[in-house]
């Protein structure tokens, strides 16, 4: 019997450890067998616009959930998507990328379980919720080293 791609969800707040866990999963399964989809790419507004609107990226309105949902369904059925790209380095969007699902697809991000239709796409769902004090500590390093924030801004 043939089976389409296996979809794994890794969802949780910023700095909950999603990227770290996803990298480990990809190493174990073999990088060539895994397609990683970061749902930060589905942000609706860039960093500057979010600041102007007074919204954080965790707000559902700040994300194209309506686009994310059919994309998950396409990947689940083995079909390619034209995925948006959000750059954490610049806080802006880049040209979209053609992405084909490998044997395993890991979907990691903030709001990957927002609707029933999205949740139904996954074979395995993980939700990461480390203690808040630990998450705050974990948030400082990537935001100051890779995203251009000062420690005070984080
Ligand atoms: N399981 C873990 N053990 C130790 N440190 C961790 C762990 N998970 C994450 N971290 C630390 O927290 C930081 C943020 O983790 P990351 O995986 O980038 O979170 P997310 O992708 O959810 O934003 C990492 O750079 C790392 O320093
Ligand atoms: O909440 C998150 C997700 O972080 P993570 O990827 O750690 O879960 C970020 O604040 C937004 O994606 C905006 O990114 P930026 O702050 O770079 O504009």
């Amino acid at each position: 019997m043939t089976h389409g791609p296996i979809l794994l969800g890794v969802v949780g707040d910023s700095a909950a450890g999603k990227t770290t866990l996803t990298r480990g999963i990809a190493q174990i399964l073999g990088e060539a067998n895994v397609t990683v989809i970061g749902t930060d790419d589905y942000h609706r507004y860039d960093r500057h616009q979010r600041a102007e609107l007074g919204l954080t990226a965790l707000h559902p309105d700040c994300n194209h959930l309506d686009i994310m949902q059919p994309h998950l369904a396409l990947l689940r059925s083995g079909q390619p998507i034209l995925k948006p790209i959000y750059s954490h380095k610049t806080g802006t969007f880049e040209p979209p990328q053609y992405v084909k699902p490998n044997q395993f697809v890991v979907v990691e991000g903030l709001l990957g379980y927002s609707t029933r239709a999205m949740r139904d796409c996954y074979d395995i769902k993980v939700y990461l919720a480390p203690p808040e004090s630990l998450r705050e500590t974990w948030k400082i390093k990537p935001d100051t080293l890779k995203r251009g924030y000062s420690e005070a801004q984080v």
Side-chain angles (χ1 to χ4, degrees), residues 12-19 38-41 43 45-48 50 56-59 63 86-92 108-110 135 138-139 142-143 146-149:
D13 204 347
S14 186
K18 304 181 296 294
T19 309
T39 67
D40 291 352
D41 288 325
H43 289 338
Y45 307 112
D46 66 24
R47 196 180 287 164
H48 179 74
R50 287 196 310 273
T56 78
L58 200 52
H59 196 298
N63 295 273
Y86 178 77
S87 165
H88 283 288
K89 199 170 168 200
T90 61
T92 59
E108 66 102 354
L110 303 171
R135 192 183 69 82
W138 283 357
K139 176 89 176 135
D143 272 17
K146 294 185 199 150
R147 298 185 181 179
Y149 293 94

Side-chain angles (χ1 to χ4, degrees), residues 13-17 127-139:
D13 204 347
S14 186
Y127 187 82
L128 294 176
E132 193 55 15
S133 55
L134 185 59
R135 192 183 69 82
E136 278 172 17
T137 309
W138 283 357
K139 176 89 176 135

